[in-house]
Amino acid sequence: MDNNEKKEEEEGEGSGCTEPGSDWADLTRECLTNILSRLTLEHLWLGPMLVCKSWLQACTDSSLHSSFDVEPHFGTNTDSPRFWTPDFERKIDSMLRSVVVWSDHSLTAIRTRHCSDLALSFAAERCPNLEVLSIKSCQNVTDASMVKIAFRCTKLREVDISYCYEISHESLVLIGRNCPNLKVLKRNLMNWLDPSQHVGVVPNEYLSACPQDGDSEAAAIGKYMPYLEHLEIQFSKLSGKGLTLLCEGCVNLKYLDLSGCANLTGRDIANASSNLKVLEIKKPNLYIPRSVYHADRYGHWRLYDERFQTDVFRI
């Protein structure tokens, strides 16, 4: 081996990038960061971070971490019991905390599931520019961390707390009071009319903890979130009274998803929304399983006609 070859080999070992004939080790930090910015978060974690020390350092550049989005991973995978385990929650928490640190206060969007109060509180303290918060199916996120979010992340314009059963209407009050830019709220619940699709995946004790105070949540939304334009409350247990309070306060609503809201009648919906001129409503459109009401062979249709007054509310 001549001196030039030996020198090249030593330089390759020093950078950690030893692929023969490769010029990747010679890339400037700016050029490498530009390339890495084209990758998804998942590809970043499973690829470049594992190559060598210099690439790992480049992957932590704050310009690559304005958003923490693992939602695509969940979107392409069927919900699994593994997602609801403490071990999986710890992994999500660890990833979120790392990105929060790397972002250096520049994080503007968090889209994840199955994180906990610990990671969310950590994010609240270090992400004053957060605009989007989506934390679906977080069984250990409570009002404790949402209070911190409400007071520290006042630039929020979109919040998704669907399937988070430990978050109460009190958090909605605080978010509404402190986040005047909020335009989108998603507070969907799991299908409690026919929970069979969740059995064996979601812990039974969590399913049984489904929030019952639909009217309290509706009243909080109507009173403290007057600028909402998009609202989803699938399978909420609100009544006609709660819906009226909601619609009276949120006069700027353009879209309202009431899928699965079994306590509402067609007349409730028509009366409550009569003052809203520009509004697309996704109505309950329910099939109520016989197992829920123990109806006879065709009894659920008679119940359906009576409950939803199909002369007013045509499905």
Side-chain angles (χ1 to χ4, degrees):
M1 178 182 295
D2 59 31
N3 291 335
N4 289 335
E5 290 176 341
K6 184 176 182 181
K7 182 179 180 181
E8 288 177 1
E9 182 176 330
E10 291 175 348
E11 289 177 348
E13 291 176 350
S15 64
C17 300
T18 59
E19 182 181 346
S22 172
D23 294 325
W24 287 95
D26 297 328
L27 289 175
T28 64
R29 175 69 175 259
E30 292 76 13
C31 184
L32 181 56
T33 301
N34 181 274
I35 294 172
L36 296 175
S37 68
R38 305 167 194 272
L39 301 178
T40 65
L41 181 67
E42 186 173 3
H43 289 154
L44 197 66
W45 280 69
L46 297 179
M49 282 189 176
L50 307 177
V51 173
C52 59
K53 184 176 180 180
S54 61
W55 279 37
L56 175 59
Q57 292 174 340
C59 288
T60 65
D61 190 282
S62 61
S63 65
L64 300 176
H65 300 289
S66 61
S67 173
F68 177 72
D69 186 3
V70 294
E71 188 60 33
H73 172 77
F74 294 107
T76 57
N77 289 275
T78 304
D79 201 7
S80 165
R82 181 175 63 89
F83 296 161
W84 295 85
T85 62
D87 183 57
F88 187 80
E89 181 179 86
R90 283 192 292 270
K91 291 178 180 179
I92 292 293
D93 277 2
S94 178
M95 290 180 65
L96 177 54
R97 289 170 66 94
S98 294
V99 171
V100 167
V101 171
W102 297 335
S103 71
D104 192 24
H105 305 286
S106 66
L107 197 64
T108 60
I110 294 175
R111 294 183 177 90
T112 187
R113 303 187 192 186
H114 303 289
C115 67
S116 75
D117 267 346
L118 292 175
L120 197 58
S121 295
F122 186 82
E125 295 169 357
R126 294 164 176 79
C127 302
N129 297 308
L130 196 65
E131 297 180 5
V132 177
L133 177 66
S134 176
I135 49 170
K136 294 186 287 188
S137 301
C138 293
Q139 60 182 327
N140 290 313
V141 167
T142 70
D143 290 334
S145 61
M146 293 306 296
V147 167
K148 297 178 182 179
I149 288 289
F151 283 106
R152 296 177 180 270
C153 305
T154 57
K155 296 181 181 180
L156 282 172
R157 55 182 176 79
E158 178 179 338
V159 171
D160 188 347
I161 50 173
S162 297
Y163 325 126
C164 294
Y165 288 178
E166 297 300 320
I167 297 176
S168 75
H169 70 281
E170 295 178 0
S171 289
L172 296 176
V173 170
L174 291 175
I175 291 173
R177 281 177 173 172
N178 293 283
C179 304
N181 298 325
L182 192 66
K183 294 291 190 294
V184 178
L185 176 66
K186 300 177 183 180
R187 177 39 167 175
N188 301 312
L189 305 181
M190 295 180 189
N191 184 352
W192 53 269
L193 288 170
D194 183 16
S196 60
Q197 61 185 292
H198 308 298
V199 174
V201 176
V202 182
N204 290 333
E205 62 273 16
Y206 191 70
L207 285 175
S208 63
C210 179
Q212 306 292 321
D213 55 347
D215 282 348
S216 297
E217 294 191 356
I221 293 170
K223 185 175 182 178
Y224 297 104
M225 301 180 181
Y227 303 112
L228 273 187
E229 297 179 358
H230 181 112
L231 176 61
E232 297 180 17
I233 49 174
Q234 296 175 15
F235 293 99
S236 171
K237 296 187 178 183
L238 83 167
S239 66
K241 178 182 178 181
L243 183 61
T244 297
L245 292 173
L246 191 158
C247 291
E248 286 177 350
C250 300
V251 295
N252 294 308
L253 273 181
K254 297 178 181 179
Y255 180 83
L256 176 60
D257 189 346
L258 298 172
S259 302
C261 297
N263 294 332
L264 296 175
T265 67
R267 186 172 289 113
D268 290 335
I269 296 173
N271 291 340
S273 61
S274 60
N275 65 318
L276 302 176
K277 304 303 180 184
V278 183
L279 176 63
E280 176 187 351
I281 301 178
K282 190 172 182 180
K283 298 177 181 179
N285 193 25
L286 293 172
Y287 167 77
I288 303 177
R290 285 182 296 167
S291 59
V292 175
Y293 294 100
H294 305 289
D296 57 28
R297 185 176 181 185
Y298 296 106
H300 62 282
W301 287 116
R302 290 198 297 272
L303 175 63
Y304 189 97
D305 289 340
E306 178 183 353
R307 185 70 188 132
F308 287 92
Q309 304 174 19
T310 52
D311 57 321
V312 176
F313 180 15
R314 297 289 180 183
I315 303 301

